[in-house]
PDB file of all heavy atoms in Angstrom:
ATOM      1  N   ILE A  84      -0.850  -3.030  24.631  1.00 84.00           N
ATOM      2  CA  ILE A  84      -0.719  -4.393  24.122  1.00 84.00           C
ATOM      3  C   ILE A  84       0.351  -5.147  24.903  1.00 84.00           C
ATOM      4  O   ILE A  84       0.162  -6.316  25.282  1.00 84.00           O
ATOM      5  CB  ILE A  84      -0.392  -4.368  22.617  1.00 84.00           C
ATOM      6  CG1 ILE A  84      -1.602  -3.822  21.830  1.00 84.00           C
ATOM      7  CG2 ILE A  84      -0.019  -5.759  22.116  1.00 84.00           C
ATOM      8  CD1 ILE A  84      -1.338  -3.605  20.359  1.00 84.00           C
ATOM      9  N   TYR A  85       1.480  -4.492  25.174  1.00 83.00           N
ATOM     10  CA  TYR A  85       2.545  -5.114  25.967  1.00 83.00           C
ATOM     11  C   TYR A  85       2.030  -5.499  27.357  1.00 83.00           C
ATOM     12  O   TYR A  85       2.270  -6.612  27.838  1.00 83.00           O
ATOM     13  CB  TYR A  85       3.718  -4.139  26.082  1.00 83.00           C
ATOM     14  CG  TYR A  85       4.701  -4.463  27.182  1.00 83.00           C
ATOM     15  CD1 TYR A  85       5.630  -5.500  27.033  1.00 83.00           C
ATOM     16  CD2 TYR A  85       4.698  -3.740  28.373  1.00 83.00           C
ATOM     17  CE1 TYR A  85       6.524  -5.793  28.046  1.00 83.00           C
ATOM     18  CE2 TYR A  85       5.590  -4.029  29.383  1.00 83.00           C
ATOM     19  CZ  TYR A  85       6.497  -5.062  29.222  1.00 83.00           C
ATOM     20  OH  TYR A  85       7.382  -5.363  30.222  1.00 83.00           O
ATOM     21  N   LEU A  86       1.302  -4.593  27.995  1.00 78.00           N
ATOM     22  CA  LEU A  86       0.768  -4.868  29.324  1.00 78.00           C
ATOM     23  C   LEU A  86      -0.230  -6.014  29.270  1.00 78.00           C
ATOM     24  O   LEU A  86      -0.253  -6.890  30.144  1.00 78.00           O
ATOM     25  CB  LEU A  86       0.103  -3.606  29.879  1.00 78.00           C
ATOM     26  CG  LEU A  86      -0.243  -3.595  31.370  1.00 78.00           C
ATOM     27  CD1 LEU A  86       1.009  -3.750  32.221  1.00 78.00           C
ATOM     28  CD2 LEU A  86      -0.970  -2.314  31.727  1.00 78.00           C
ATOM     29  N   GLY A  87      -1.059  -6.035  28.224  1.00 82.00           N
ATOM     30  CA  GLY A  87      -2.031  -7.106  28.078  1.00 82.00           C
ATOM     31  C   GLY A  87      -1.383  -8.466  27.902  1.00 82.00           C
ATOM     32  O   GLY A  87      -1.828  -9.465  28.496  1.00 82.00           O
ATOM     33  N   LEU A  88      -0.318  -8.537  27.120  1.00 87.00           N
ATOM     34  CA  LEU A  88       0.386  -9.805  26.923  1.00 87.00           C
ATOM     35  C   LEU A  88       1.032 -10.285  28.216  1.00 87.00           C
ATOM     36  O   LEU A  88       1.048 -11.490  28.512  1.00 87.00           O
ATOM     37  CB  LEU A  88       1.439  -9.650  25.819  1.00 87.00           C
ATOM     38  CG  LEU A  88       0.887  -9.424  24.401  1.00 87.00           C
ATOM     39  CD1 LEU A  88       2.028  -9.191  23.418  1.00 87.00           C
ATOM     40  CD2 LEU A  88       0.034 -10.619  23.966  1.00 87.00           C
ATOM     41  N   ARG A  89       1.560  -9.354  29.014  1.00 82.00           N
ATOM     42  CA  ARG A  89       2.139  -9.730  30.301  1.00 82.00           C
ATOM     43  C   ARG A  89       1.076 -10.293  31.235  1.00 82.00           C
ATOM     44  O   ARG A  89       1.311 -11.299  31.915  1.00 82.00           O
ATOM     45  CB  ARG A  89       2.807  -8.522  30.955  1.00 82.00           C
ATOM     46  CG  ARG A  89       4.147  -8.138  30.350  1.00 82.00           C
ATOM     47  CD  ARG A  89       4.917  -7.231  31.288  1.00 82.00           C
ATOM     48  NE  ARG A  89       5.138  -7.868  32.574  1.00 82.00           N
ATOM     49  CZ  ARG A  89       5.686  -7.257  33.623  1.00 82.00           C
ATOM     50  NH1 ARG A  89       6.036  -5.993  33.533  1.00 82.00           N
ATOM     51  NH2 ARG A  89       5.865  -7.900  34.751  1.00 82.00           N
ATOM     52  N   VAL A  90      -0.081  -9.659  31.273  1.00 79.00           N
ATOM     53  CA  VAL A  90      -1.164 -10.146  32.135  1.00 79.00           C
ATOM     54  C   VAL A  90      -1.658 -11.499  31.632  1.00 79.00           C
ATOM     55  O   VAL A  90      -1.915 -12.420  32.417  1.00 79.00           O
ATOM     56  CB  VAL A  90      -2.318  -9.127  32.176  1.00 79.00           C
ATOM     57  CG1 VAL A  90      -3.513  -9.704  32.927  1.00 79.00           C
ATOM     58  CG2 VAL A  90      -1.866  -7.832  32.840  1.00 79.00           C
ATOM     59  N   TRP A  91      -1.781 -11.650  30.320  1.00 85.00           N
ATOM     60  CA  TRP A  91      -2.259 -12.912  29.727  1.00 85.00           C
ATOM     61  C   TRP A  91      -1.345 -14.080  30.121  1.00 85.00           C
ATOM     62  O   TRP A  91      -1.823 -15.170  30.445  1.00 85.00           O
ATOM     63  CB  TRP A  91      -2.309 -12.766  28.209  1.00 85.00           C
ATOM     64  CG  TRP A  91      -2.713 -14.027  27.474  1.00 85.00           C
ATOM     65  CD1 TRP A  91      -1.945 -15.128  27.235  1.00 85.00           C
ATOM     66  CD2 TRP A  91      -3.996 -14.307  26.905  1.00 85.00           C
ATOM     67  NE1 TRP A  91      -2.645 -16.068  26.544  1.00 85.00           N
ATOM     68  CE2 TRP A  91      -3.916 -15.601  26.328  1.00 85.00           C
ATOM     69  CE3 TRP A  91      -5.187 -13.592  26.816  1.00 85.00           C
ATOM     70  CZ2 TRP A  91      -4.995 -16.191  25.679  1.00 85.00           C
ATOM     71  CZ3 TRP A  91      -6.264 -14.185  26.161  1.00 85.00           C
ATOM     72  CH2 TRP A  91      -6.167 -15.464  25.605  1.00 85.00           C
ATOM     73  N   ARG A  92      -0.046 -13.846  30.084  1.00 83.00           N
ATOM     74  CA  ARG A  92       0.918 -14.916  30.346  1.00 83.00           C
ATOM     75  C   ARG A  92       1.194 -15.127  31.821  1.00 83.00           C
ATOM     76  O   ARG A  92       1.864 -16.089  32.197  1.00 83.00           O
ATOM     77  CB  ARG A  92       2.229 -14.599  29.624  1.00 83.00           C
ATOM     78  CG  ARG A  92       2.093 -14.517  28.102  1.00 83.00           C
ATOM     79  CD  ARG A  92       3.392 -14.078  27.447  1.00 83.00           C
ATOM     80  NE  ARG A  92       4.486 -14.970  27.762  1.00 83.00           N
ATOM     81  CZ  ARG A  92       5.753 -14.759  27.427  1.00 83.00           C
ATOM     82  NH1 ARG A  92       6.069 -13.650  26.767  1.00 83.00           N
ATOM     83  NH2 ARG A  92       6.685 -15.619  27.751  1.00 83.00           N
ATOM     84  N   ALA A  93       0.703 -14.241  32.663  1.00 77.00           N
ATOM     85  CA  ALA A  93       0.992 -14.334  34.097  1.00 77.00           C
ATOM     86  C   ALA A  93       0.324 -15.569  34.701  1.00 77.00           C
ATOM     87  O   ALA A  93      -0.776 -15.958  34.297  1.00 77.00           O
ATOM     88  CB  ALA A  93       0.511 -13.075  34.806  1.00 77.00           C
ATOM     89  N   PRO A  94       0.956 -16.205  35.684  1.00 76.00           N
ATOM     90  CA  PRO A  94       0.337 -17.353  36.355  1.00 76.00           C
ATOM     91  C   PRO A  94      -0.840 -16.891  37.212  1.00 76.00           C
ATOM     92  O   PRO A  94      -0.969 -15.697  37.514  1.00 76.00           O
ATOM     93  CB  PRO A  94       1.475 -17.896  37.224  1.00 76.00           C
ATOM     94  CG  PRO A  94       2.346 -16.714  37.474  1.00 76.00           C
ATOM     95  CD  PRO A  94       2.281 -15.886  36.218  1.00 76.00           C
ATOM     96  N   PRO A  95      -1.703 -17.813  37.609  1.00 70.00           N
ATOM     97  CA  PRO A  95      -2.833 -17.433  38.476  1.00 70.00           C
ATOM     98  C   PRO A  95      -2.314 -16.760  39.741  1.00 70.00           C
ATOM     99  O   PRO A  95      -1.306 -17.178  40.305  1.00 70.00           O
ATOM    100  CB  PRO A  95      -3.509 -18.775  38.796  1.00 70.00           C
ATOM    101  CG  PRO A  95      -3.085 -19.680  37.692  1.00 70.00           C
ATOM    102  CD  PRO A  95      -1.701 -19.245  37.298  1.00 70.00           C
ATOM    103  N   PRO A  96      -2.963 -15.710  40.196  1.00 58.00           N
ATOM    104  CA  PRO A  96      -2.492 -15.017  41.398  1.00 58.00           C
ATOM    105  C   PRO A  96      -2.584 -15.899  42.628  1.00 58.00           C
ATOM    106  O   PRO A  96      -3.551 -16.631  42.817  1.00 58.00           O
ATOM    107  CB  PRO A  96      -3.439 -13.811  41.512  1.00 58.00           C
ATOM    108  CG  PRO A  96      -4.655 -14.216  40.757  1.00 58.00           C
ATOM    109  CD  PRO A  96      -4.182 -15.099  39.644  1.00 58.00           C
ATOM    110  N   ASP A  97      -1.557 -15.834  43.462  1.00 58.00           N
ATOM    111  CA  ASP A  97      -1.530 -16.567  44.722  1.00 58.00           C
ATOM    112  C   ASP A  97      -1.835 -15.570  45.837  1.00 58.00           C
ATOM    113  O   ASP A  97      -1.025 -14.693  46.120  1.00 58.00           O
ATOM    114  CB  ASP A  97      -0.154 -17.205  44.919  1.00 58.00           C
ATOM    115  CG  ASP A  97      -0.075 -17.988  46.219  1.00 58.00           C
ATOM    116  OD1 ASP A  97      -1.126 -18.148  46.882  1.00 58.00           O
ATOM    117  OD2 ASP A  97       1.029 -18.426  46.578  1.00 58.00           O
ATOM    118  N   PHE A  98      -2.965 -15.729  46.478  1.00 51.00           N
ATOM    119  CA  PHE A  98      -3.403 -14.770  47.476  1.00 51.00           C
ATOM    120  C   PHE A  98      -3.074 -15.212  48.901  1.00 51.00           C
ATOM    121  O   PHE A  98      -3.634 -14.691  49.845  1.00 51.00           O
ATOM    122  CB  PHE A  98      -4.916 -14.540  47.354  1.00 51.00           C
ATOM    123  CG  PHE A  98      -5.326 -13.915  46.069  1.00 51.00           C
ATOM    124  CD1 PHE A  98      -5.790 -14.695  45.026  1.00 51.00           C
ATOM    125  CD2 PHE A  98      -5.221 -12.550  45.869  1.00 51.00           C
ATOM    126  CE1 PHE A  98      -6.163 -14.115  43.821  1.00 51.00           C
ATOM    127  CE2 PHE A  98      -5.587 -11.968  44.673  1.00 51.00           C
ATOM    128  CZ  PHE A  98      -6.058 -12.756  43.651  1.00 51.00           C
TER     129      PHE A  98
END
Side-chain angles (χ1 to χ4, degrees):
I84 293 173
Y85 163 76
L86 193 61
L88 292 176
R89 284 197 58 186
V90 173
W91 177 284
R92 298 175 58 187
D97 180 8
F98 296 97

